[in-house]
Amino acid sequence: MKALKRRTGQVLFALAVLALLIYTIFPFYIAILTSLQGGEGSFYLLQDFDFSNYVSVFREQPFFLNILNSALVSFGTVAISLLIAVTASYALARVHFRGRTTLLLTVLGVSMFPQVAVLSGMFELVRLLGLYNNLGSLVLSYTVFSLPFSVWILTTFMRGIPKDLEEAAIVDGATPWQIITRIFMPVLWPALVTTGLLAFIGAWNEFMFAITFILSNEQRTVPVAISMISGGSQYEMPWGPIMAASVIVTVPLILLVLVFQRKIVEGLTAGAVKG
Amino acid sequence: MSSIEFVKLEKVYKGLSDFCAVKGVDLQINEGEFVVFVGPSGCGKSTLLRMIAGLEDISGGELYFGDRCVNDLSPKERGIGMVFQSYALYPHMSVFDNMAFGLTLEKGSRETIKEKVEEVARILQIDHLLDRKPKALSGGQRQRVAIGRAIVRQPNVFLFDEPLSNLDASLRVQMRIEITKLHQRLKTTSIYVTHDQVEAMTMADKIVVLNQGRIMQVGSPLQIYNEPANTFVAGFMGSPTMNFIDVEAMDEQLSLRTGQANRRFLMPFRHSGPATLGIRPEHIELQPQADAIPVETRISVVEHLGNETLLYLATDLCEQPLVVAVSGEMAPEIGSELTIYLPLERSHLFDAQGDAVKRQGSASVN
Ligand SMILES: Nc1ncnc2c1ncn2[C@@H]1O[C@H](COP(=O)(O)OP(=O)(O)OP(=O)(O)O)[C@@H](O)[C@H]1O
Ligand SMILES: [Mg+2]
């Protein structure tokens, strides 16, 4: 009786897992499937490996350049926002000054604005700085959007670092910069990876700024480039090439996540760092 | 190495309401001395230590290392080494790197750093742990590494903030002895903060008793024990604490407030007016004595500590029970009557302000 009960429990659990798996993986399965099928085929089953879609993605447009642009913009965003976020959160977590809490709340408040709300303002800024149709405009706007989150997360983590640790470094003769780079950054490494990766994903997938600030094909980033893929006629959606392109640009993300997987979990779970 | 002098040192924490944590402290610490700060929690020990370290701004007064005023110098410029209560080891660095960190920042050559670290590691017997990360060490080992990190740069002054309070009792005794030995070997001026009186008594050349941001008394351990300057020091140092009895003093005579109020005792003090008689539990006698006040009591609580037994005695002399330490063999019965004798020769007299009255000559029962 007991065994039966346990059996049923196991079966139900397995079914639930299966349902969840199908639910999450199905869209990707369809994407990969579609990308590998030239012309018509069964919609649910893979019949042949046909890489013509992948070839056409690179032939029809400067897709390689688009990937390079995306990488450039994403890495630039990550580097700049991490640098600013680390130094800012050090100040917010460790230096006493008037209006610290207000500033922190403002930072969080800023991140509540929807992108559209700042689009026109950002456009003015970009024009003012002469960055129109330049990848710099994207790095600028993505940094603005990833900073609040990064600053907030890193400030929380930095507050978790025992004060003694910092003071030990001061007694050892370290300057604030050395404290940040030699003590805090290594200790905060999981948090840095997590926030950096989130900034990267945000920048890699962003569409609205990318289509607004960039004009020419050669400067485009991947999401916009994919949306520009057109079929034989106006009424035909070229699903094959679109899915092929999507698969291509998702692979780097998946690789990144797999590489840093352990660190991300640490970063998301470990609130404080034990001394 | 250097001597240290505090001149009217003050610390005010600014905030919604300013809080004065250290109030006009004057103190002279000689070169090579091992000084222990003791006091109840919140009395400003850590604050004072951190002011010496340079981690806390000095709000008023001057601090001298030798004849150099160090008020505005950074911890590094002052040349101090500090051991924190929480060890504060860098978690991502090996033991070697932890100890070498300060030296690497000074841009010493690789060989000299290695040499210095290895020598200190040998002294502290942690040379086999150099490759480990702090999290793979026991509490005692971490503490050694923290001490090693402080001494490897050969600072002028060592500062310890309750370094042993996270260790278990036996390890604490062991580390206490080792720190004392280390001090005898290096002879560096050291300041050690603790609230453990045993540590204070056993380690110190000089004890500084603090209360509410003020120095209550400075002296050698035996001075502090034998000649407490006021009721605070008398009550704080010594375990179990000193018994206090309210008395009336008239010149060289003393009378108890209650009970035998009519009896007068000749005392070794000259004082008039209300006063407090202090006597340590271990000095109270059970046998009749010359120069002792006999007191009728009733045993209310008995604590067996093994080596000795503490008796809590209800009397009509004072509200609190009198505490007496007797030998561990004694097996007194709760509720039974007991006559005790308070030897005036070994007692202390404090005036109405709580300051000790100077002792003179010897006394005899009237
Ligand atoms: N940053 C601060 N702001 C305001 N008040 C403070 C601050 N740091 C300490 N204090 C106050 O100063 C007083 C002395 O603190 P301190 O840490 O020196 O005590 P302590 O003697 O070391 O006590 P403990 O034995 O508990 O460590 C305390 O009353 C404390 O509340
Ligand atoms: Mg303290």
Side-chain angles (χ1 to χ4, degrees):
Chain A
M1 193 60 205
K2 215 169 180 184
L4 187 72
K5 233 179 181 172
R6 214 177 56 206
R7 255 264 108 77
T8 345
Q10 278 172 347
V11 170
L12 284 179
F13 181 70
L15 282 179
V17 169
L18 197 68
L20 197 68
L21 268 181
I22 293 177
Y23 169 64
T24 46
I25 292 191
F26 187 69
F28 294 101
Y29 171 70
I30 292 297
I32 294 172
L33 202 70
T34 317
S35 71
L36 285 174
Q37 276 164 351
E40 279 96 78
S42 153
F43 195 66
Y44 293 113
L45 284 174
L46 187 57
Q47 274 154 355
D48 54 347
F49 283 94
D50 180 354
F51 287 98
S52 62
N53 286 329
Y54 287 83
V55 178
S56 84
V57 164
F58 285 97
R59 196 171 320 118
E60 312 275 313
Q61 58 249 309
F63 198 64
F64 187 71
L65 212 60
N66 296 145
I67 293 180
L68 209 65
N69 289 340
S70 265
L72 219 65
V73 168
S74 303
F75 280 114
T77 306
V78 169
I80 294 177
S81 64
L82 276 190
L83 182 72
I84 299 178
V86 165
T87 41
S89 58
Y90 175 74
L92 286 166
R94 282 297 201 246
V95 185
H96 289 271
F97 57 87
R98 213 172 258 280
R100 194 164 67 148
T101 323
T102 325
L103 192 63
L104 206 54
L105 286 175
T106 316
V107 166
L108 193 68
V110 165
S111 66
M112 307 274 174
F113 282 98
Q115 276 188 327
V116 205
V118 295
L119 191 60
S120 61
M122 196 66 88
F123 191 74
E124 288 299 317
L125 190 65
V126 164
R127 270 240 306 260
L128 199 76
L129 294 174
L131 291 175
Y132 188 61
N133 197 24
N134 183 318
L135 290 179
S137 65
L138 297 185
V139 174
L140 178 77
S141 48
Y142 296 169
T143 304
V144 166
F145 267 88
S146 71
L147 260 184
F149 181 73
S150 310
V151 168
W152 192 266
I153 293 270
L154 288 181
T155 304
T156 314
F157 270 84
M158 227 174 264
R159 285 209 175 133
I161 298 182
K163 191 142 188 14
D164 284 356
L165 208 58
E166 183 185 354
E167 287 177 345
I170 294 177
V171 169
D172 269 339
T175 60
W177 179 248
Q178 284 168 329
I179 293 174
I180 291 179
T181 52
R182 315 252 326 234
I183 308 292
F184 279 17
M185 300 234 315
V187 171
L188 285 178
W189 177 231
L192 288 176
V193 169
T194 309
T195 49
L197 203 67
L198 289 174
F200 187 90
I201 293 174
W204 186 261
N205 288 332
E206 205 282 338
F207 181 76
M208 192 188 304
F209 289 140
I211 199 169
T212 316
F213 298 154
I214 301 295
L215 265 189
S216 58
N217 263 343
E218 284 68 38
Q219 299 284 344
R220 284 217 174 93
T221 54
V222 165
V224 181
I226 292 179
S227 76
M228 298 282 169
I229 294 175
S230 50
S233 80
Q234 202 181 339
Y235 305 104
E236 186 193 340
M237 208 46 175
W239 285 117
I242 288 181
M243 288 306 165
S246 306
V247 169
I248 293 170
V249 299
T250 315
V251 168
L253 282 192
I254 292 177
L255 285 182
L256 270 180
V257 171
L258 285 182
V259 168
F260 290 116
Q261 189 190 36
R262 286 256 305 283
K263 292 287 175 195
I264 297 173
V265 174
E266 269 174 54
L268 289 175
T269 54
V273 182
K274 276 196 208 134
Chain B
M1 253 180 274
S2 83
S3 61
I4 303 177
E5 194 179 352
F6 303 23
V7 181
K8 302 222 172 348
L9 220 50
E10 291 209 3
K11 175 69 195 181
V12 178
Y13 283 113
K14 297 264 187 258
L16 293 179
S17 59
D18 290 355
F19 179 76
C20 195
V22 174
K23 302 161 187 163
V25 167
D26 289 300
L27 182 65
Q28 170 74 44
I29 294 172
N30 299 325
E31 200 169 312
E33 234 171 0
F34 197 103
V35 177
V36 174
F37 290 176
V38 280
S41 190
C43 69
K45 307 179 292 284
S46 299
T47 306
L48 201 52
L49 194 76
R50 293 162 51 80
M51 285 163 82
I52 302 168
L55 293 170
E56 208 76 68
D57 292 334
I58 294 173
S59 314
E62 281 115 50
L63 178 64
Y64 292 93
F65 280 17
D67 44 16
R68 194 164 59 124
C69 179
V70 297
N71 276 34
D72 298 320
L73 299 187
S74 69
K76 189 184 172 211
E77 292 163 322
R78 295 182 193 193
I80 57 126
M82 184 153 174
V83 179
F84 295 82
Q85 181 176 357
S86 63
Y87 317 130
L89 299 178
Y90 311 125
H92 58 290
M93 294 186 194
S94 67
V95 168
F96 181 93
D97 291 335
N98 261 285
M99 290 168 63
F101 185 64
L103 296 172
T104 19
L105 293 179
E106 283 165 15
K107 307 253 185 303
S109 84
R110 207 162 249 288
E111 290 81 61
T112 48
I113 291 177
K114 194 160 184 290
E115 223 167 81
K116 281 182 183 173
V117 171
E118 278 172 357
E119 194 201 327
V120 169
R122 235 185 338 271
I123 295 175
L124 292 167
Q125 295 161 10
I126 47 173
D127 38 355
H128 57 297
L129 305 171
L130 286 176
D131 297 327
R132 294 218 200 147
K133 289 274 172 62
K135 67 165 175 267
L137 300 178
S138 72
Q141 289 167 335
R142 283 181 208 183
Q143 194 57 67
R144 279 167 213 262
V145 176
I147 293 172
R149 183 174 64 179
I151 63 179
V152 77
R153 283 177 302 122
Q154 297 168 329
N156 297 322
V157 179
F158 281 147
L159 304 174
F160 299 85
D161 193 351
E162 308 201 25
L164 306 186
S165 56
N166 284 345
L167 302 182
D168 65 51
S170 66
L171 200 53
R172 209 179 306 173
V173 173
Q174 190 190 335
M175 286 303 293
R176 187 173 89 202
I177 294 168
E178 284 192 31
I179 291 178
T180 307
K181 271 201 219 143
L182 198 65
H183 177 252
Q184 279 160 1
R185 174 172 179 159
L186 301 171
K187 299 212 167 31
T188 307
T189 313
S190 305
I191 302 178
Y192 187 102
V193 164
T194 180
H195 55 239
D196 182 322
Q197 355 177 340
V198 182
E199 275 174 31
M201 294 296 287
T202 52
M203 299 173 86
D205 293 324
K206 190 192 257 174
I207 293 182
V208 178
V209 185
L210 293 164
N211 188 31
Q212 299 189 343
R214 289 205 174 80
I215 290 186
M216 291 285 117
Q217 187 175 3
V218 179
S220 72
L222 287 181
Q223 258 172 354
I224 299 271
Y225 179 80
N226 291 326
E227 302 153 32
N230 46 50
T231 45
F232 176 82
V233 176
F236 186 76
M237 296 299 284
S239 168
T241 51
M242 190 183 274
N243 298 294
F244 292 111
I245 303 165
D246 288 338
V247 296
E248 248 345 280
M250 275 147 295
D251 207 18
E252 290 194 355
Q253 297 197 349
L254 168 153
S255 64
L256 302 170
R257 286 256 175 97
T258 52
Q260 308 148 315
N262 47 353
R263 286 189 71 183
R264 300 264 164 99
F265 301 92
L266 205 58
M267 58 178 186
F269 306 97
R270 183 184 290 275
H271 181 69
S272 288
T276 306
L277 188 73
I279 181 147
R280 295 196 184 277
E282 56 270 37
H283 293 155
I284 294 180
E285 299 284 348
L286 299 184
Q287 305 305 324
Q289 299 268 315
D291 310 336
I293 306 175
V295 181
E296 309 283 325
T297 66
R298 181 189 301 278
I299 301 175
S300 59
V301 177
V302 177
E303 283 182 350
H304 294 282
L305 301 182
N307 61 335
E308 60 175 7
T309 299
L310 301 182
L311 308 179
Y312 291 76
L313 307 170
T315 69
D316 50 8
L317 291 182
C318 50
E319 301 263 311
Q320 279 85 16
L322 283 185
V323 183
V324 180
V326 298
S327 94
E329 282 96 66
M330 217 178 120
E333 225 172 279
I334 293 177
S336 62
E337 310 264 316
L338 186 70
T339 307
I340 57 167
Y341 300 87
L342 313 178
L344 284 165
E345 196 45 48
R346 309 204 69 170
S347 60
H348 308 266
L349 193 74
F350 304 96
D351 64 17
Q353 279 75 46
D355 291 325
V357 178
K358 247 195 155 48
R359 181 188 303 267
Q360 49 168 312
S362 61
S364 64
V365 175
N366 195 338

